[in-house]
Amino acid sequence: MAYLNVRVTPGARQDAVSGWQGTALKVKVRAAPEKCKANDAVCALIARTLGVPPSAVAVERGHTSRGKLLLVDGLTEEEMLRRLGAPML
């Protein structure tokens, strides 16, 4: 199990992982920030990027803010960061 800090930009032109901003992964999603649509899109995008099932990614904290803490089940933190191309911190 691993935790991932993300910084979300909802309402973008396309879903994309934009890189790192300090220790947070910048993520853009097309979904609007209403009725959890953006949260669901972020979880789906991170799951696809990591190669894990969508059910393995959940918002742990920050449901209504741009800064979120995601819980990723099935990967160690080191494996998750390696798959995301995290800079050495």
Side-chain angles (χ1 to χ4, degrees):
M1 187 178 320
Y3 290 97
L4 175 65
N5 285 309
V6 295
R7 180 79 174 159
V8 179
T9 302
R13 289 184 179 208
Q14 63 183 10
D15 293 347
V17 174
S18 304
W20 292 90
Q21 181 179 16
T23 59
L25 184 65
K26 294 188 295 182
V27 176
K28 297 179 182 180
V29 293
R30 290 178 294 194
E34 52 193 34
K35 299 182 182 177
C36 292
K37 291 179 183 176
N39 288 343
D40 294 342
V42 168
C43 291
L45 175 62
I46 295 299
R48 277 194 312 273
T49 303
L50 291 173
V52 298
S55 61
V57 181
V59 177
E60 181 76 12
R61 192 173 55 217
H63 292 275
T64 59
S65 68
R66 292 181 62 190
K68 300 183 186 305
L69 180 66
L70 302 182
L71 174 64
V72 179
D73 197 18
L75 294 177
T76 64
E77 187 168 342
E78 294 80 19
E79 178 63 18
M80 177 190 68
L81 294 174
R82 185 186 65 75
R83 291 184 185 189
L84 292 171
M88 298 306 252
L89 301 174

